[in-house]
Amino acid sequence: MLVHPETRTQDIRTALLARRDELGAEHAGVVAEMTLAGAADSGDDVADLGTKAFNREQEFALAVSIRNRMEQVERALERLDAGHYGTCEGCRQEIPVARLAAFPSVTLCVGCKSRSESRY
């Protein structure tokens, strides 16, 4: 059965919007938890303050990671609107459908992603 390109595009958009909403809720939860935890520091000893600072650092890193994933989804939506979705930003070749199905907001094919990671 052949799927019309507009239907496929709408399915991709729906999946990306759902993922953006999921990440937004997750981000809001982490930020709310950080806000509540920060308000409960009075009267703690040095060890408790150190533990709480470590936990806040971990929560902050998680919030940044979630925000980065949200930005990737936004970028994928922009690429979809511009007609560039599914094209590798590195080599300009098509990204395999299986990779897009697994990671809908991906912008690099496996080869370009591997090369970009090996530079670090």
Side-chain angles (χ1 to χ4, degrees):
M1 180 173 135
L2 189 60
V3 178
H4 194 276
E6 287 180 24
T7 302
R8 183 171 167 247
T9 299
Q10 190 54 43
D11 290 346
I12 293 167
R13 183 181 318 287
T14 299
L16 288 169
L17 290 171
R19 183 64 180 143
R20 184 184 66 183
D21 292 346
E22 290 170 11
L23 290 167
E26 189 177 346
H27 185 265
V30 169
V31 170
E33 192 173 310
M34 287 180 358
T35 303
L36 289 174
D41 282 349
S42 62
D44 289 337
D45 65 18
V46 175
D48 288 339
L49 290 174
T51 299
K52 287 183 178 181
F54 175 78
N55 289 339
R56 269 195 301 274
E57 242 179 78
Q58 296 295 316
E59 290 168 344
F60 181 75
L62 178 60
V64 168
S65 173
I66 294 167
R67 186 70 208 144
N68 287 339
R69 286 184 277 157
M70 288 171 63
E71 289 170 3
Q72 289 173 348
V73 171
E74 288 293 336
R75 195 159 149 210
L77 286 164
E78 290 169 5
R79 290 172 55 78
L80 189 65
D81 290 340
H84 301 295
Y85 182 81
T87 302
C88 177
E89 289 182 341
C91 65
R92 304 288 183 230
Q93 299 295 315
E94 273 195 46
I95 298 171
V97 174
R99 180 162 169 75
L100 289 170
F103 306 104
S105 59
V106 73
T107 60
L108 298 172
C109 67
V110 173
C112 288
K113 180 67 174 171
S114 179
R115 282 189 290 281
S116 74
E117 289 177 349
S118 68
R119 290 183 202 148
Y120 299 106

